[in-house]
């Protein structure tokens, strides 16, 4: 269908697992055969083996009312019990659950026994505030142990959490609390970010203000406030200090079992329209797939591994791979409050050295930021404990992949590039370490038991070597169960396009090994003179040039070609001198892209900038760059991590 996508990175480098790794690997090739022989039985087996059920299920999947799935629906379990008590009962209470590190350098270790005790108390606090099965609790906290404790306490009561990322504004909190009709908000006075306390409670106060309309002030009866920042906060009648309530609470709490389909959480994510979607996840299927993927993709050896996923619990990665997957598996983790470069740019590597992290899971955007700073920084630390690396969130370009392998993984640690979404709940595409020969830049193969295809617009399989749309062709255990309060939008967004297939919204290509390459959101695919071009593909080409540290590409409206490629690039610190000597950097980079992909992909404009506009989760906001590229006033910048970035970029572009 699309000749340009064919030109994506003809990657020939492959890295087979070492014999040593393979012979001790948790994953085996047999998993694929088992799943293929009987997909449903495969998942039923995982659910039975990885989780403890109060009432065993007899039905695996009910798909009688698509696209509304039910998994293991006649079974009952308690999610928090599965993440906590059972590890203590099995004699692992002394195992560290979290090595927590605050940004200013304070730290706290929580064993499974201690974490269980905290969650029991917190569950009693919440129950005392009237929280029971099905009630919604909003959580707006920094990355402190209380964030995890709150989530698990809510889960323990069969209630539903809605975690709101600590960087969101009062208006975002308001719309989320309101949409979910939450009864309780858990927040903190403040948290540490970039060397100082950043207040959180004022945003909650503002969100809950009465504004002469029906709003969250009608439903929220209490705000529970953790003391972390020690900053002054205003106090109202509905506010309660977390530490005071915890001190008063009973220590014992027996977990009650709930149905497998009992809602576990809502997590809001942006769609193509303005209103965020409340993605709904439930209990048994979600926990099964989180635990399974965490175990096999991260080759988990719970007795000896120290696992660190750098995601904030405000995002799905934090839900599935900080809280639910790792804790269900009894893993030991690092939890870090702050930013990677505070108080110095080697902070992450220092933490890896300090806690002897074996398994490290982060995002390409972070990897590229470190690349930009140079290998000298990580080289100052002992990273020899690392044995496995993971990537998530966006396509990882081969250059960043190779840097990650060489500089962080000592050319030995396998890298797993994991594709999934808020909606999928858990990983869907990834190599299995010890089994798969890895390939820089490709997420590669579906997880055993997951049915993925790449299809054209009519839903027909595209075949080897071709590009198209990524779909999931069979229901999976951790799939979203819907959009909170809007079943129609669920159907429309994900199912109407193909009817019987889940439309992920991503472009993808199958290479000649049938490995899957993700090409970015289809809304980021441009059409230039009738040719489809992927932003990811061009960005990857730009980043492959020695001058480039980071690149973002957008399709800007163009009179002659429909859309034109416009690129924004950041030059590597170490290349500033050399690139300054070049008369026309833009021309050099345009020619480079032309060479890498083909003349059609050559950017019309290349702007050299110092920063790119990113959301707090590190996603580049191409919409804003498109505004600049098309000479419009820049739109809403409130979700940017740093709202001043756009002024700078606009200034740099118009100065040209
Ligand atoms: C979108 C989902 C999955 C948790 C973090 C993001 C992109 C995610 C990859 C990957 C290429 C990826 C996709 C997807 N994405 N992982 N390994 N390779 N693209 O969750 O905010 O729901 O975003 O992130 O475009 O659709 P999210």
């Amino acid at each position: 269908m699309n000749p340009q996508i064919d030109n994506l990175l003809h990657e020939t480098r492959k890295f087979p697992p070492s014999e040593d790794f393979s012979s001790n690997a948790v994953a085996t090739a047999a998993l694929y055969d088992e799943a293929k022989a009987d997909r449903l039985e495969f998942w039923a087996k995982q659910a039975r083996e990885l989780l403890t059920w109060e009432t065993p299920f007899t039905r695996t999947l009910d798909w009688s009312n698509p696209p509304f799935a039910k998994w293991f629906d006649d079974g009952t379990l308690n999610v928090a019990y599965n993440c906590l008590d059972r590890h203590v009962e099995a004699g692992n209470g002394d195992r560290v659950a979290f090595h927590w590190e605050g940004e200013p350098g304070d730290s706290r270790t929580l064993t499974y026994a201690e974490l269980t005790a905290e969650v029991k108390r917190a569950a009693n606090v919440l129950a005392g505030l009237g929280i029971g099965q099905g009630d919604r609790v909003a959580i707006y906290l920094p990355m402190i142990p209380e964030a995890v404790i709150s989530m698990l306490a809510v889960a323990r009561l069969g209630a539903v959490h809605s975690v709101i990322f600590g960087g969101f504004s009062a208006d975002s909190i308001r719309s989320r609390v309101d949409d979910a009709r939450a009864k309780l908000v858990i927040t903190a006075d403040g948290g540490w970010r970039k060397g100082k306390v950043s207040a959180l409670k004022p945003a909650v106060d503002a969100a809950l203000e009465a504004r002469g309309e029906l709003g969250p002030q009608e439903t929220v009866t209490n705000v529970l406030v953790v003391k972390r920042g020690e900053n002054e906060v205003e106090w109202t009648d509905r506010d309660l200090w977390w530490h005071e309530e915890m001190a008063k609470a009973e220590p014992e709490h027996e977990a009650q079992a709930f149905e497998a389909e009992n809602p576990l959480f809502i997590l809001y994510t942006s769609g193509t329209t303005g209103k965020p979607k409340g993605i709904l996840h439930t209990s048994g299927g979600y926990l099964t797939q989180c635990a399974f993927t965490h175990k096999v993709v991260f080759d988990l050896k719970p007795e000896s591994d120290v696992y660190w996923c750098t995601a904030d619990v405000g995002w799905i990665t934090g839900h599935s791979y900080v809280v639910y997957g790792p804790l269900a598996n009894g893993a030991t983790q690092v939890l870090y409050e702050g930013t990677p470069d505070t108080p110095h740019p080697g902070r992450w590597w220092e933490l890896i050295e300090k806690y002897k992290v074996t398994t490290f899971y982060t995002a390409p955007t972070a990897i590229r930021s470190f690349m930009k700073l140079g290998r000298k920084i990580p080289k100052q630390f002992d990273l020899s404990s690392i044995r496995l690396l993971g990537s998530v969130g966006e396509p990882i370009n081969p250059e960043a992949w190779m840097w990650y392998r060489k500089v962080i993984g000592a050319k030995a640690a396998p890298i797993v590039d994991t594709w999934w979404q808020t909606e999928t709940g858990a990983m869907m595409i990834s190599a299995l370490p010890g089994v798969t020969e890895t390939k820089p830049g490709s997420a590669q193969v579906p997880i055993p038991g997951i049915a993925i295809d790449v299809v054209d617009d009519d839903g027909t399989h595209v075949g080897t070597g071709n590009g198209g749309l990524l779909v999931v062709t069979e229901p999976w255990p951790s799939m979203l169960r819907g959009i909170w309060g809007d079943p129609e939008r669920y159907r429309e967004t994900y199912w109407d396009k193909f009817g019987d297939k889940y439309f992920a919204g991503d472009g993808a290509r199958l290479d000649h090994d049938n490995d899957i390459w993700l090409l970015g959101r289809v809304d980021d695919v441009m059409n230039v003179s009738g040719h489809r071009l992927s932003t990811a593909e061009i960005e990857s080409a730009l980043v492959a040039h020695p001058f480039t540290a980071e690149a973002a590409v957008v399709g800007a409206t163009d009179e002659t070609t429909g859309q034109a490629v416009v690129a924004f690039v950041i030059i590597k610190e170490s290349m500033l001198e050399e690139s300054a000597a070049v008369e026309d950097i833009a021309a050099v980079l345009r020619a480079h892209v032309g060479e890498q992909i083909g003349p059609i992909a050559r950017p019309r404009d290349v702007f050299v900038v110092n920063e790119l506009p990113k959301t707090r989760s590190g996603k580049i906001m191409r919409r804003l760059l498109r505004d600049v590229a098309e000479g419009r006033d820049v739109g809403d910048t409130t979700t940017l991590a740093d709202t001043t970035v756009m002024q700078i970029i606009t200034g740099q572009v118009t100065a040209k």
Side-chain angles (χ1 to χ4, degrees):
M1 59 182 276
N2 164 355
Q4 291 311 315
I5 281 177
D6 276 352
N7 291 322
L8 184 102
L9 320 154
H10 285 289
E11 186 57 61
T12 51
R13 289 169 289 198
K14 285 188 193 179
F15 300 94
S18 72
E19 221 155 89
D20 189 41
F21 198 103
S22 289
S23 55
N24 294 306
V26 171
T28 59
L31 287 172
Y32 294 108
D33 304 330
E34 269 178 60
K36 210 168 172 191
D38 189 341
R39 209 178 71 85
L40 293 182
E41 186 42 42
F42 173 81
W43 284 117
K45 184 180 159 201
Q46 304 311 328
R48 285 187 202 106
E49 284 180 1
L50 295 167
L51 305 185
T52 304
W53 296 80
E54 170 78 19
T55 319
F57 57 89
T58 65
R59 289 194 295 261
T60 299
L61 170 67
D62 177 355
W63 191 235
S64 57
N65 179 31
F68 299 92
K70 292 180 182 168
W71 284 83
F72 317 122
D73 73 323
D74 61 345
T76 69
L77 79 171
N78 185 286
V79 170
Y81 172 85
N82 272 275
C83 293
L84 300 165
D85 314 45
R86 65 170 178 153
H87 302 313
V88 180
E89 289 165 15
N92 294 320
D94 291 340
R95 185 184 295 163
V96 172
F98 287 106
H99 294 288
W100 174 76
E101 179 103 359
E103 197 189 74
D106 51 337
S107 62
R108 183 177 171 195
T109 305
L110 279 151
T111 63
Y112 272 92
E114 289 163 344
L115 185 63
T116 304
E118 293 277 327
V119 171
K120 285 180 175 180
R121 264 184 199 276
N124 285 327
V125 169
L126 301 192
L129 298 176
I131 300 302
Q133 182 179 10
D135 290 333
R136 275 82 60 205
V137 177
I139 298 175
Y140 183 70
L141 284 172
M143 281 289 278
I144 54 178
E146 286 77 6
V148 179
I149 294 165
S150 301
M151 290 165 77
L152 291 168
V154 171
R156 194 172 183 91
L157 297 172
V160 185
H161 57 69
S162 164
V163 183
I164 303 167
F165 176 63
F168 278 135
S169 65
D171 277 343
S172 313
I173 301 170
R174 186 178 176 87
S175 65
R176 284 161 172 77
V177 168
D178 201 29
D179 185 69
R181 318 275 318 141
K183 255 178 141 169
L184 175 73
V185 180
I186 306 178
T187 188
D189 48 0
W192 285 85
R193 249 189 85 78
K194 300 196 185 206
K196 50 181 197 288
V197 171
S198 147
L200 288 168
K201 188 166 183 292
V204 173
D205 292 340
L208 299 187
E209 243 168 46
R211 297 184 193 170
E213 49 179 299
L214 211 71
Q217 76 279 0
E218 310 282 330
T219 60
V220 174
T221 48
N222 289 107
V223 176
L224 203 47
V225 188
V226 179
K227 211 180 188 80
R228 166 62 186 155
E230 306 278 342
N231 48 319
E232 285 283 324
V233 288
E234 307 232 332
W235 211 249
T236 73
D237 289 348
R238 64 174 175 244
D239 298 336
L240 298 164
W241 282 113
W242 169 279
H243 60 275
E244 289 179 6
E245 298 307 305
M246 286 290 273
K248 282 188 276 180
E250 286 295 322
E252 255 323 307
H253 181 275
E254 200 174 324
Q256 181 200 330
F258 299 96
E259 290 174 355
E261 284 297 340
N262 194 53
L264 179 62
F265 65 86
I266 305 166
L267 187 59
Y268 288 83
T269 182
S270 41
T272 42
T273 70
K275 188 180 185 288
K277 301 174 281 196
I279 303 300
L280 175 68
H281 284 286
T282 62
S283 304
Y286 171 77
L287 197 61
T288 299
Q289 196 172 326
C290 287
F292 173 72
T293 50
H294 178 259
K295 182 180 144 191
V296 300
V297 173
F298 291 126
D299 191 50
L300 182 70
K301 315 274 163 55
E303 306 78 21
S304 54
D305 275 335
V306 179
Y307 161 86
W308 183 16
C309 165
T310 63
D312 191 286
V313 292
W315 309 113
I316 190 69
T317 309
H319 281 59
S320 304
Y321 297 104
V322 175
V323 181
Y324 293 109
L327 294 178
N329 289 335
T332 294
Q333 305 189 62
V334 170
L335 191 71
Y336 173 54
E337 178 186 33
T339 41
D341 53 358
T342 309
H344 60 80
R347 188 68 191 276
W348 275 10
W349 318 123
E350 180 182 63
L351 289 175
I352 290 178
E353 176 180 289
K354 175 172 177 185
Y355 293 109
K356 300 194 166 45
V357 170
T358 58
T359 316
F360 184 63
Y361 190 31
T362 195
T365 179
I367 299 166
R368 288 194 297 265
S369 310
F370 289 120
M371 258 174 96
K372 193 161 78 177
L373 297 173
R375 65 177 66 198
K376 267 206 207 118
I377 292 163
K379 286 290 177 213
Q380 289 158 17
F381 300 92
D382 177 7
L383 307 181
S384 62
S385 54
I386 287 185
R387 64 179 196 89
L388 182 57
L389 296 170
S391 173
V392 62
E394 52 181 316
I396 176 164
N397 49 297
E399 269 29 70
W401 197 101
M402 291 302 292
W403 187 90
Y404 200 27
R405 176 181 153 81
K406 273 188 214 138
V407 181
I408 310 302
K411 296 189 193 160
I415 298 178
V416 287
D417 175 7
T418 63
W419 179 90
W420 57 293
Q421 309 175 294
T422 304
E423 291 88 339
T424 70
M427 295 170 189
M428 302 292 278
I429 303 175
S430 172
L432 290 185
V435 177
T436 319
E437 210 177 28
T438 58
K439 193 187 275 183
S442 167
Q444 300 195 290
V445 286
I447 294 286
I450 297 299
I452 300 274
D453 201 358
V454 180
V455 298
D456 65 17
D457 258 332
D458 317 323
T460 313
H461 175 73
V462 295
T464 303
N466 293 313
L469 302 170
L470 190 80
V471 293
V472 189
T473 58
E474 297 287 349
W476 63 102
S478 65
M479 69 192 285
L480 74 166
R481 299 305 195 258
I483 294 175
W484 184 258
D486 201 345
E488 215 18 68
R489 190 173 177 196
Y490 167 59
R491 200 189 288 276
E492 260 169 43
T493 310
Y494 306 104
W495 298 92
D496 275 1
K497 188 166 175 66
F498 295 115
D500 58 344
K501 297 178 181 75
Y502 169 86
F503 171 54
D506 278 33
R509 171 185 179 264
L510 290 175
D511 72 11
H512 291 276
D513 299 321
N514 270 330
D515 276 334
I516 301 164
W517 291 74
L518 277 309
L519 305 175
R521 302 290 306 185
V522 286
D523 12 32
D524 289 335
V525 172
M526 298 161 286
N527 191 320
V528 179
S529 306
H531 299 288
R532 269 177 60 171
L533 289 170
S534 152
T535 53
E537 185 182 14
I538 300 175
E539 286 166 5
S540 189
L542 284 165
V543 176
H545 190 279
F547 285 172
T548 315
E550 277 198 82
V553 165
V554 297
T557 308
D558 185 277
E559 261 178 27
T560 23
T561 57
Q563 278 188 311
V565 180
V566 177
F568 296 80
V569 299
I570 303 179
I571 303 295
K572 276 189 200 135
E573 208 86 40
S574 58
M575 287 290 168
L576 285 176
E577 253 184 52
E578 202 173 325
S579 64
V582 173
E583 217 196 287
D584 189 352
I585 299 180
V588 170
L589 293 175
R590 287 181 70 243
H592 171 74
V593 173
E595 272 159 31
Q596 290 259 305
I597 304 173
I600 183 74
R602 256 192 330 236
R604 183 189 69 188
D605 305 311
V606 176
F607 297 116
V608 175
V609 294
N610 298 333
E611 290 286 349
L612 291 171
K614 287 181 186 163
T615 63
R616 294 174 185 93
S617 66
K619 282 215 161 61
I620 294 171
M621 290 193 73
R622 291 192 179 72
R623 171 172 65 77
L624 300 178
L625 292 175
R626 216 170 286 132
D627 290 344
V628 175
E630 299 180 351
R632 264 193 309 277
D633 283 348
V634 171
D636 182 10
T637 58
T638 52
T639 55
L640 281 179
D642 177 357
T643 46
T644 60
V645 162
M646 284 320 295
Q647 284 159 352
I648 299 169
I649 294 177
T650 311
Q652 288 174 329
V653 167
T654 48
K656 292 264 143 64

